[in-house]
């Protein structure tokens, strides 16, 4: 049942592979994307770890998961909604090609679904799929959201229920020009999904895409309901009018004060209106609830949840669609429908009481009655948001070209950035500034509007600092009103990923520690040198920490016989750093270890041919 106090979904736990299975492919979608949040996901998907690590704590599993992410993880997001990270991390370079922007036809449309479709495999077993449908973006926002998660198992026959889901995935890949292994969709066609207790029907509801000749639209506003519950942080007059006229009784409307303030009072009279409890919104600012290491944030309402009752049948709709006109078919959205003929707790009225009745909430209500006497006109803020939205859309349409040229400093580069802003206009008093995302000391520079903009102001970057991301800052007067990232078209050095890896594994000791992790899963600490070992050369045939001197050779033999896939991970690591040296000028991978590895590499290639 829906129980916000005891039934909470942890994002990271939902991505962790089932025991004995490993990740094959993960496809995710989000409206807005935070690069730092995205970098934590591979740790859950590969190593079954919760998302409680800080990206600066470069543990072996964090580095390995992120560097492997480009092979198996793809995330789609709305083009102009890539957030500027508090700190750009060089490891994101390994994931750049799998971070895929979706550009909508107009500024008033949104790519808005929040879905994960994940495949896990195990030898001699059929694959398992996991599906997560939520209202949460892939950011560090701590608002109140809702999610549905289920496991799916491959059967011997096609399951018609999956056609909308497959149409949705096909839309993602066709729109972006990406490619997907045929096996992923072929097996997904035959997947049977688990249903939550009490529900007897499951349906997938993409919105705003075509499935053959059919345009998928939002079913909620097309059905005549006997009773209806609406939870949505965003509202509009048109959709509320439609829903109230399609419901035989007064619908329950649970939203935010700001959203309710923006609706005409005579329209709200058709609903039983409640607003999100302000005590929850500011909870993190209470001194007794403060947590070390966490900056307090408002916990706003972000959940999108509808319950429609028709006769004895109740249908729950969970996903990304707000109670707004764009969410009826103009946006790209995704919802799941769960139907039941069961008891009262599943009905609109039962859930409404659970959210608002002090007797059913231990006196702590998520929603309280809407106070009409404290209405505030939000019109000015809404107008500003619309201006920002349109400007970001227009800026995101401009190609950004970047070039690197050798700098006067050894092993460094100067950056040239060009963009044609001749078709762009800004309101009076507004300005646009930009800088490379990895820049930490130079201030952003002003972009000239209405001309060909070209800058050579950003110079002397090490190869590991180069990135295709450019940070833009939209300003109204002296106030920054929006910061976002865009990709630029730039050809970066082929050796960049290798040098990023050796900027992290920059000593023989770190290499041996990392190798120990790859072969055994042990030694999963933060990658740093032992001060006591400074100046000492690590023998090529031993791994520190292996019970004082058990040779590498033995561990490689064990991997050959029990898990040859580990040898592929070792080979990939060696391929990245074999040519590089540490700060003393010594090779990170010693000639002795290269000779040892050549024996196992020969075996690896022979094993792959047999496969």
């Amino acid at each position: 049942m829906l129980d916000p106090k005891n039934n909470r979904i942890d994002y990271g736990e939902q991505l962790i592979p089932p025991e004995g299975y490993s990740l094959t492919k993960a496809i995710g979608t989000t409206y807005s994307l935070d690069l730092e949040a995205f970098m934590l996901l591979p740790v859950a998907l590969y190593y079954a770890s919760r998302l409680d690590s800080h990206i600066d704590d470069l543990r072996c599993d964090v580095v390995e998961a992120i560097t492997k992410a480009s092979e198996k993880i793809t995330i789609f997001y709305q083009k102009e909604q890539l957030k500027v990270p508090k700190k750009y991390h060089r490891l994101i370079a390994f994931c750049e090609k799998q971070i895929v922007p979706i550009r909508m036809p107009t500024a008033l449309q949104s790519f808005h679904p929040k879905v994960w479709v994940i495949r896990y495999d195990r030898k001699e077993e059929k694959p398992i799929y996991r599906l997560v449908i939520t209202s949460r973006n892939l950011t560090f926002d701590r608002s109140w959201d809702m999610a549905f998660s289920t496991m799916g198992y491959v059967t011997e026959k096609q399951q018609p229920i999956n056609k909308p889901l497959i149409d949705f995935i096909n839309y993602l890949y066709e729109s972006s020009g990406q490619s997907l292994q045929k096996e992923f969709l072929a097996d997904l066609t035959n997947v049977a999904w688990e249903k939550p207790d009490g529900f007897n029907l499951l349906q997938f509801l993409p919105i705003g895409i075509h499935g053959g000749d059919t345009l998928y639209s939002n079913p909620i506003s097309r059905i005549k309901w006997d009773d209806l519950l609406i939870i949505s942080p965003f509202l509009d007059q048109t959709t509320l009018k439609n829903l109230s006229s399609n419901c035989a009784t007064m619908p329950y409307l649970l939203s935010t004060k700001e959203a309710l303030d923006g609706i005409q009072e005579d329209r709200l009279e058709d609903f039983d209106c409640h607003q999100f409890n302000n005590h929850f919104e500011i909870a993190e600012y209470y001194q007794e609830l403060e947590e070390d290491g966490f900056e307090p944030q408002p916990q706003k309402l972000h959940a999108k949840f509808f319950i429609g009752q028709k006769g004895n049948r109740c249908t729950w709709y969970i996903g990304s669609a707000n109670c707004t006109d764009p969410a009826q078919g103009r946006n790209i959205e995704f919802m799941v429908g769960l139907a039941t003929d069961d008891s009262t707790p599943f009905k609109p009225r039962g859930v409404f009481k659970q959210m608002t009745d002090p007797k059913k909430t231990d006196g702590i209500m998520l929603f309280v009655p809407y106070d009409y006497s404290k209405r505030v006109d939000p019109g000015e803020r809404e107008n500003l948001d619309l201006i920002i939205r349109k400007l970001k859309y227009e800026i995101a349409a401009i190609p950004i070209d970047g070039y690197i040229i050798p700098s006067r400093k050894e092993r460094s580069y100067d950056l040239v950035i060009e963009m044609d802003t001749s078709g762009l206009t800004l309101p009076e008093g507004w300005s646009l500034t930009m800088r490379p995302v990895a820049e930490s000391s130079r201030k952003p520079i002003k972009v000239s509007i209405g001309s060909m903009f070209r800058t050579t102001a950003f110079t002397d970057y090490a190869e590991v600092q180069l990135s295709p991301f450019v940070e833009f800052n939209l300003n109204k007067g002296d106030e920054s009103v929006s910061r976002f990232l865009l990709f630029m078209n730039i050809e970066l050095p082929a050796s960049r990923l290798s040098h990023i890896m050796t900027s992290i594994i920059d000593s023989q000791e770190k290499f041996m520690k990392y190798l120990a992790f790859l072969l055994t899963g042990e030694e999963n600490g933060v990658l740093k040198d032992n001060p006591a070992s400074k100046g000492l050369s690590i023998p090529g045939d031993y791994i520190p920490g292996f019970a004082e001197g058990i040779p590498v050779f033995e561990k490689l033999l064990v991997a050959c016989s029990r898990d040859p896939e580990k040898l592929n991970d070792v080979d990939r690591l060696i391929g990245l750093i074999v040519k590089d040296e540490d700060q003393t000028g010594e090779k990170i991978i010693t000639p002795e270890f290269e000779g040892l590895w050549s024996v196992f590499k020969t075996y690896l290639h022979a094993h792959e041919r047999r496969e």
Side-chain angles (χ1 to χ4, degrees):
M1 249 318 283
L2 186 67
D3 185 346
K5 183 178 180 181
N6 300 309
N7 188 12
R8 305 288 289 274
I9 289 180
D10 181 276
Y11 207 142
E13 287 180 353
Q14 298 309 306
L15 305 180
I16 290 175
E19 187 172 354
Y21 285 79
S22 60
L23 173 70
T24 305
K25 181 65 181 177
I27 301 169
T29 67
T30 181
Y31 172 68
S32 54
L33 174 62
D34 188 305
L35 293 178
E36 291 178 283
F38 175 67
M39 289 177 70
L40 292 177
L41 292 181
V43 184
L45 286 162
Y46 279 103
Y47 293 111
S49 297
R50 292 168 62 95
L51 306 185
D52 57 359
S53 173
H54 194 282
I55 202 63
D56 287 335
D57 297 331
L58 288 177
R59 299 194 319 254
C60 294
D61 61 342
V62 173
V63 176
E64 180 66 7
I66 292 171
T67 57
K68 290 172 67 175
S70 62
E71 302 170 8
K72 298 177 180 179
I73 304 172
T74 304
I75 184 78
F76 299 87
Y77 71 98
Q78 175 141 329
K79 184 173 184 179
E80 57 271 25
Q81 295 299 328
L82 189 58
K83 293 183 175 294
V84 177
K86 290 182 179 178
K87 180 181 179 181
Y88 178 78
H89 202 289
R90 58 196 182 277
L91 272 176
I92 198 64
F94 286 89
C95 308
E96 287 163 357
K97 293 183 179 179
Q98 303 309 114
I99 299 172
V100 184
I102 298 289
R103 179 166 171 81
M104 297 299 289
T106 73
L108 298 181
Q109 293 173 275
S110 296
F111 177 78
H112 202 245
K114 290 91 173 167
V115 181
W116 281 97
V117 186
I118 309 167
R119 172 176 170 143
Y120 307 104
D121 276 274
R122 182 177 182 176
K123 287 184 179 180
E124 300 179 359
E125 300 281 351
K126 290 185 176 180
I128 291 177
Y129 285 76
R130 173 171 280 142
L131 180 66
V132 182
I133 300 170
T134 179
S135 58
R136 177 172 290 276
N137 289 304
L138 190 46
T139 68
F140 289 114
D141 183 81
R142 294 199 286 273
S143 294
W144 285 69
D145 282 279
M146 285 192 65
F148 166 77
S149 177
T150 186
M151 300 296 295
Y153 304 90
V154 178
T155 66
E156 298 299 326
K157 62 179 182 180
Q158 290 190 0
Q159 304 290 331
I161 184 180
N162 293 319
K163 183 181 183 303
L165 178 59
I166 291 170
D167 287 340
F168 176 69
I169 295 175
N170 279 328
Y171 158 80
L172 296 176
Y173 280 84
E174 291 169 3
S175 299
S176 61
Q178 301 285 304
S179 60
L180 179 65
Q181 292 179 336
K182 294 180 180 179
E183 292 81 2
F184 186 93
L185 288 181
D187 287 330
L188 182 59
T189 301
N190 292 4
V191 167
W193 301 96
E194 293 179 337
K195 302 181 187 69
D197 292 341
F199 292 96
N200 52 33
L201 178 66
L202 172 68
Q203 55 183 329
F204 301 127
L205 304 167
I207 298 170
I209 68 166
H210 282 88
D213 295 331
T214 303
L215 175 63
Y216 290 105
S217 60
N218 194 325
I220 300 169
S221 58
R222 293 187 278 107
I223 299 174
K224 298 287 186 180
W225 301 107
D226 295 330
D227 203 3
L228 181 64
L229 171 87
I230 303 162
I231 297 180
S232 175
F234 299 99
L235 310 169
D236 68 24
Q237 312 277 358
T238 303
T239 307
L240 289 177
K241 179 181 179 180
N242 188 19
L243 290 174
S244 65
S245 63
N246 278 351
C247 189
T249 58
M250 177 180 284
Y252 306 103
L253 178 58
L254 283 61
S255 186
T256 65
K257 180 185 186 306
E258 293 78 12
L260 292 167
D261 285 350
I263 303 299
Q264 296 174 2
E265 285 194 52
D266 58 351
R267 177 59 56 212
L268 294 181
E269 290 173 358
D270 295 332
F271 296 85
D272 188 342
C273 298
H274 281 62
Q275 67 188 50
F276 191 63
N277 194 332
N278 186 58
H279 289 294
F280 287 99
E281 187 166 335
I282 62 174
E284 293 189 16
Y285 294 91
Y286 292 132
Q287 186 173 359
E288 58 270 23
L289 296 179
E290 287 183 357
E291 294 185 51
D292 292 337
F294 285 92
E295 182 179 342
Q297 291 184 17
Q299 293 190 13
K300 297 183 178 182
L301 175 70
H302 196 249
K304 292 87 173 166
F305 177 41
F306 303 78
I307 305 178
Q309 180 179 348
K310 191 175 182 65
N312 290 326
R313 167 144 291 209
C314 289
T315 305
W316 288 29
Y317 298 96
I318 302 169
S320 65
N322 283 292
C323 185
T324 61
D325 187 57
Q328 306 311 304
R330 191 166 78 213
N331 289 350
I332 306 299
E333 310 274 4
F334 202 97
M335 306 281 280
V336 61
L338 300 166
T340 178
D341 297 313
D342 212 331
S343 60
T344 299
F346 293 95
K347 296 179 180 179
R349 181 171 178 78
V351 174
F352 172 74
K353 285 188 173 182
Q354 193 172 359
M355 297 286 186
T356 61
D357 189 343
K359 296 179 181 178
K360 295 183 178 293
T361 60
D362 296 330
I364 304 175
M365 299 172 290
L366 276 177
F367 294 89
V368 296
Y370 175 57
D371 190 345
Y372 285 84
S373 67
K374 296 182 179 180
R375 285 170 61 86
V376 176
D377 183 5
E380 185 175 343
R381 180 68 233 185
E382 289 180 356
N383 291 336
L384 179 61
D385 289 343
L386 183 59
I387 293 171
I388 294 171
R389 181 188 185 104
K390 290 180 176 179
L391 288 175
K392 288 174 67 175
Y393 184 84
E394 292 173 8
I395 294 166
I398 301 172
I400 307 163
D401 296 315
Y403 310 92
I404 57 170
I405 54 177
S407 171
R408 287 177 295 180
K409 289 187 177 179
E410 187 179 0
R411 295 183 180 181
S412 63
Y413 296 89
D414 295 340
L415 185 60
V416 179
I417 301 176
E418 296 178 345
M419 56 188 299
D420 184 358
T421 66
S422 58
L424 178 68
T425 58
L426 298 179
E428 185 176 352
W430 289 58
S431 63
L432 181 67
T433 60
M434 57 80 68
R435 67 177 178 178
V437 68
E439 180 57 65
S440 57
S441 57
R442 298 180 181 93
K443 292 182 178 181
I445 65 169
K446 188 174 182 180
V447 177
S448 58
I449 305 301
S451 64
M452 175 60 75
F453 168 74
R454 186 176 190 269
T455 178
T456 58
F458 301 105
T459 59
D460 299 329
Y461 292 104
E463 194 169 301
V464 298
Q465 294 176 293
L466 297 174
S467 167
F469 296 113
V470 179
E471 172 190 334
F472 286 90
N473 201 332
L474 193 56
N475 309 285
K476 181 184 179 185
D478 295 331
E479 178 189 3
S480 172
V481 294
S482 183
R483 297 171 67 220
F484 56 101
L485 297 182
L486 293 173
F487 276 99
M488 64 177 161
N489 306 311
I490 187 170
E491 186 174 345
L492 297 171
S495 57
R496 182 174 66 119
L497 295 183
S498 175
H499 288 158
I500 289 172
M501 196 65 170
T502 52
S503 71
I504 297 167
I505 303 175
D506 57 1
S507 68
Q508 292 179 14
E509 182 179 353
K510 289 181 183 177
F511 169 69
M512 301 307 279
K513 182 183 182 72
Y514 199 88
L515 184 64
F517 169 75
L518 292 181
L519 291 174
T520 69
E522 300 169 2
E523 289 292 322
N524 186 25
V526 176
L527 283 164
K528 57 183 179 181
D529 288 319
N530 181 356
S533 67
K534 287 294 182 182
L536 299 178
S537 178
I538 307 297
D541 57 343
Y542 286 89
I543 299 179
F546 277 156
E548 290 301 319
I550 297 177
V552 174
F553 184 78
E554 178 180 325
K555 294 301 175 184
L556 288 169
L557 281 178
V558 171
C560 284
S561 61
R562 298 180 184 177
D563 194 353
E565 179 62 29
K566 289 182 178 179
L567 298 184
N568 283 320
D569 293 336
V570 174
D571 191 47
R572 182 172 52 86
L573 170 66
I574 292 172
L576 282 171
I577 65 177
V578 68
K579 296 180 181 180
D580 285 310
E581 300 173 345
D582 64 19
Q583 293 179 352
T584 67
E586 292 192 20
K587 293 191 70 175
I588 295 173
I589 299 179
T590 64
E592 293 83 3
F593 184 85
E594 283 192 68
L596 176 66
W597 175 245
S598 66
V599 177
F600 288 92
K601 188 166 184 175
T602 301
Y603 165 81
L604 178 61
H605 290 166
H607 175 76
E608 289 174 343
R609 286 194 296 269
R610 289 195 299 271
E611 291 286 315

